[in-house]
Amino acid sequence: MTIDEFDMQLKRCLNLWLPRVELEALFNIMSKTETGLSDSDTAAEAVVLDPEAFLTYFFQLGHKARDIHRKNKLRDKATTLEKNRNVERTNESKMERMSGTDQEISFDCTQEDVLTAMEKLRVAAFFLDASNALQAVRVRVFECRMTPSQFRLQLERSFEIKLTSTEIGALASHFGTLSPPYCIDGHFFMRAFFYLQREARKADKLQRKKLDGIRKKLINDRNQADCYSKVLGR
């Protein structure tokens, strides 16, 4: 295979378009000299591509490239896992430090504490915009098991809900379906939270519709009154 034939095969088979300088350098590395007969039946030498040398070099390059890619992928995976472990260890350390304040929570709560705490949740749920990326993150942090004190702190951070010791005790009793100390089921809480949101918005929609009906009735009554006064004035 001559250099021009080699160039054509690279373009056809590998879609590889090399500048002439690079093509000649590659060809010279893997070429060999063959002796044959010319048209005048005299011995002639020709420089042609050595197919065996090219294929060996080509597949060695492919194997080396795949090996490098595999090693890089494994290294990146190991780095990511180590970062995740460090984050988990940091979070666990923070959660352990926070879990020491459960004594500030009182489970001696009344029905009024339950209603007050649920009303605060309902208001927070009503104004939550789940389509907002930042607010969505604030909700996703509840996808875990928590102690009552961690639950209280997360409610304050995510929704700015201030709860008394008896109010958080009421919520902990309601959502604490798991074994202590991490008794708060975050997934159960999120389902209840979004249920409160739907109910609150449904009630608000009905209230707005009712007020709109009252407004329209008042406008209609006023228009009728104006109409009667004009008739009587005539």
Side-chain angles (χ1 to χ4, degrees):
M1 185 183 297
T2 64
I3 187 171
D4 292 327
E5 293 171 339
F6 180 49
D7 184 32
M8 184 178 297
Q9 290 301 322
L10 288 177
K11 293 175 181 178
R12 286 181 176 178
C13 301
L14 302 178
N15 195 26
L16 184 60
W17 298 67
L18 295 176
R20 189 67 183 184
V21 176
E22 295 179 1
L23 178 67
E24 291 176 353
L26 185 61
F27 182 82
N28 292 334
I29 292 174
M30 292 171 287
S31 62
K32 65 179 180 179
T33 302
E34 286 188 347
T35 302
L37 296 176
S38 65
D39 294 337
S40 59
D41 294 333
T42 58
E45 292 184 349
V47 179
V48 296
L49 180 74
D50 184 353
E52 183 178 351
F54 171 74
L55 291 175
T56 301
Y57 181 72
F58 182 79
F59 287 113
Q60 284 178 346
L61 280 180
H63 177 73
K64 184 178 180 180
R66 286 191 295 271
D67 188 55
I68 293 174
H69 177 72
R70 181 181 61 84
K71 289 180 179 179
N72 290 338
K73 192 173 182 179
L74 290 174
R75 185 176 63 251
D76 293 342
K77 185 177 181 180
T79 303
T80 302
L81 288 175
E82 185 61 27
K83 287 182 180 179
N84 292 338
R85 290 193 191 100
N86 291 336
V87 171
E88 289 176 0
R89 284 193 288 266
T90 302
N91 291 338
E92 288 176 358
S93 178
K94 290 181 180 179
M95 297 298 265
E96 287 175 359
R97 289 197 299 269
M98 291 187 297
S99 63
T101 60
D102 284 348
Q103 62 271 19
E104 300 175 3
I105 298 173
S106 173
F107 291 91
D108 186 18
C109 49
T110 63
Q111 184 63 24
E112 183 179 354
D113 293 322
V114 176
L115 295 176
T116 304
M118 295 301 289
E119 177 61 19
K120 290 180 179 180
L121 277 183
R122 189 191 70 80
V123 173
F126 178 80
F127 289 105
L128 175 72
D129 181 10
S131 62
N132 183 286
L134 180 60
Q135 295 192 35
V137 170
R138 293 176 180 175
V139 176
R140 283 199 296 269
V141 296
F142 287 95
E143 296 179 346
C144 61
R145 296 176 61 172
M146 295 168 282
T147 65
S149 61
Q150 293 166 355
F151 182 49
R152 180 184 194 175
L153 182 61
Q154 198 56 60
L155 286 173
E156 184 175 342
R157 287 180 174 177
S158 296
F159 307 124
E160 299 182 356
I161 299 178
K162 302 289 185 179
L163 297 170
T164 64
S165 58
T166 51
E167 288 172 350
I168 188 60
L171 292 181
S173 298
H174 183 72
F175 297 111
T177 59
L178 304 174
S179 57
Y182 299 95
C183 59
I184 306 298
D185 185 350
H187 294 280
F188 174 53
F189 165 75
M190 289 179 63
R191 290 195 298 271
F193 185 81
F194 285 115
Y195 173 79
L196 285 174
Q197 184 185 70
R198 291 192 298 271
E199 292 299 311
R201 291 181 176 178
K202 185 188 298 184
D204 179 72
K205 186 177 180 179
L206 291 175
Q207 182 66 16
R208 288 175 180 271
K209 186 176 181 180
K210 181 179 179 181
L211 292 176
D212 187 57
I214 294 174
R215 182 182 63 83
K216 289 180 179 179
K217 185 176 183 304
L218 291 174
I219 293 175
N220 185 53
D221 292 344
R222 186 180 63 185
N223 291 338
Q224 288 183 355
D226 290 343
C227 181
Y228 292 153
S229 63
K230 289 180 181 179
V231 171
L232 292 175
R234 289 179 183 175

